Amino acid sequence: MSTTTDGLMLKPDDLSPADEAVLSVLADGRVTAPYASDETEYSLQYVRDVLTRLTEHGHVRKVYTGLYELVDDPREATDDH
């Protein structure tokens, strides 16, 4: 059973401060969870949880074991959708 929630994209109001911080790091390029944790000062496990959530919603893609990239930034969502 898949836990992917494709099609259920997050909206800006759905984002936590941690989501926003991780997205900001991802906007600069591919990251690992430890790197994002260091850059955001959130715990490694919390960053992993954020990356998992963003991946499940289709905003982030896991390109290789432990390596993530931004696919669709939910902070840029418009009310028209």
Side-chain angles (χ1 to χ4, degrees), residues 2-71:
S2 174
T3 58
T4 301
T5 54
D6 288 338
L8 299 175
M9 302 298 263
L10 298 171
K11 296 178 179 145
D13 290 346
D14 298 328
L15 301 174
S16 71
D19 294 333
E20 298 251 3
V22 171
L23 286 165
S24 291
V25 174
L26 280 161
D28 291 334
R30 293 177 173 176
V31 302
T32 63
Y35 177 79
S37 175
D38 288 346
E39 290 295 305
T40 63
E41 299 184 1
Y42 285 99
S43 74
L44 178 56
Q45 185 57 54
Y46 194 52
V47 168
R48 284 183 175 141
D49 293 344
V50 168
L51 287 166
T52 297
R53 177 174 180 248
L54 293 171
T55 300
E56 288 172 348
H57 286 276
H59 297 291
V60 172
R61 176 175 55 213
K62 190 173 190 178
V63 293
Y64 192 75
T65 303
L67 184 63
Y68 298 86
E69 71 181 3
L70 186 62
V71 174

